[in-house]
Amino acid sequence: MIGMLPKWFARRAWRRYAALTLLATLGVFAAGAFALLRTPTWYAPPAIATDQRQRVRNSLVEAEQRFTESLRMNQPFVYHLYAEDVNRWIAMRREIYPLLDSLTPPELGEPFVVFDDGEITVAGRYQLGGVRVIVSLDFSVGFHDGAIELRALATRCGSARVPLDVSRLGMERAVNYPEGKLWPGSPRISGDLVSGLRVDDEGWWKNGGMAYRVTDLMVEPGRISLTVQPLGRRPSPR
């Protein structure tokens, strides 16, 4: 009887160890699943009430007018673009800017942007199997050699960072849009989001027919600040 006690204790210890290991594994799996499926607290696409929709339209017109008036002063100026406004315009993109809706991947519902220090995050709801999850892409944004440059940094599912599958997302695909290709007066855009997507510093503003050059850019929490040099009136580049 005394000689069998060590084996009995060993069996009980092994069962306890196996149970703890199973619980730990389930805990890690549950935590991982929660991180993948949860909606991050920062993801909050605005719901525009019916009585607020005209105000959102007006805010876009006012933003365009501020840029036009600043160009007419013919002095360097800093133009601020706020994430709160941008997300309201995105929420109403089908009504006020259909082109923006056509450029949004159809698989990505309720797109939402976040501006942070030197980074922009683009997020949305994505159908993964039978579950809709929040996926997001982080981009570094800076001003280098006379151009705004965007570069993909990371992808997330929920709040969990996942491998960056550039081929599946199409981010390695190079583009080369000449001036005026995407909208009247648009700057040249070339490159890809892996090695760097470059937006040239010079553009043409349709309202007033004025050219401009971006000389600096800063991304901060909640806003983008563009330093702009007016270049005077010019005929349309196209």
Side-chain angles (χ1 to χ4, degrees):
M1 181 68 177
I2 294 176
M4 293 183 64
L5 284 176
K7 294 183 180 180
W8 179 75
F9 278 115
R11 284 196 299 270
R12 290 200 60 181
W14 180 88
R15 288 171 184 168
R16 190 177 295 113
Y17 174 77
L20 290 174
T21 301
L22 177 61
L23 286 174
T25 302
L26 290 174
V28 170
F29 176 80
F34 175 75
L36 289 170
L37 298 176
R38 71 182 292 269
T39 298
T41 55
W42 51 261
Y43 178 76
I48 312 298
T50 302
D51 61 350
Q52 296 294 315
R53 302 184 84 79
Q54 187 58 50
R55 181 176 297 181
V56 174
R57 293 190 190 94
N58 293 343
S59 71
L60 178 57
V61 174
E62 291 166 2
E64 293 176 342
Q65 289 176 339
R66 285 196 301 271
F67 193 80
T68 302
E69 293 302 319
S70 297
L71 285 175
R72 286 175 176 166
M73 295 295 290
N74 203 29
Q75 296 289 333
F77 63 94
V78 178
Y79 186 78
H80 301 298
L81 195 60
Y82 297 92
E84 185 177 3
D85 291 332
V86 172
N87 281 311
R88 287 173 178 160
W89 301 335
I90 290 175
M92 288 186 58
R93 64 194 181 279
R94 293 184 178 90
E95 298 175 37
I96 61 178
Y97 197 41
L99 176 61
L100 182 62
D101 187 47
S102 67
L103 294 175
T104 304
E107 301 85 3
L108 199 67
E110 296 184 74
F112 184 75
V113 300
V114 177
F115 300 156
D116 208 340
D117 289 318
E119 294 184 13
I120 293 177
T121 297
V122 180
R125 297 188 183 277
Y126 183 79
Q127 190 73 29
L128 187 64
V131 181
R132 286 179 66 80
V133 297
I134 306 302
V135 297
S136 58
L137 299 170
D138 297 336
F139 301 93
S140 66
V141 185
F143 193 81
H144 306 289
D145 300 325
I148 299 169
E149 187 173 276
L150 293 87
R151 193 184 300 265
L153 292 176
T155 56
R156 287 181 175 81
C157 182
S159 59
R161 192 162 178 163
V162 296
L164 183 63
D165 188 348
V166 295
S167 60
R168 184 172 183 178
L169 296 172
M171 288 188 293
E172 87 290 0
R173 196 177 306 137
V175 299
N176 189 5
Y177 296 116
E179 294 179 46
K181 176 67 175 179
L182 294 180
W183 64 84
S186 63
R188 179 172 179 264
I189 301 174
S190 60
D192 62 77
L193 287 168
V194 177
S195 59
L197 184 70
R198 292 174 60 83
V199 181
D200 283 5
D201 58 348
E202 289 195 18
W204 182 81
W205 190 243
K206 184 178 180 180
N207 295 349
M210 291 172 285
Y212 64 89
R213 178 185 295 120
V214 176
T215 59
D216 199 8
L217 173 144
M218 180 178 294
V219 184
E220 305 169 283
R223 76 177 186 183
I224 294 177
S225 300
L226 296 164
T227 303
V228 181
Q229 171 67 59
L231 300 176
R233 293 184 182 275
R234 292 183 184 176
S236 171
R238 295 191 65 188

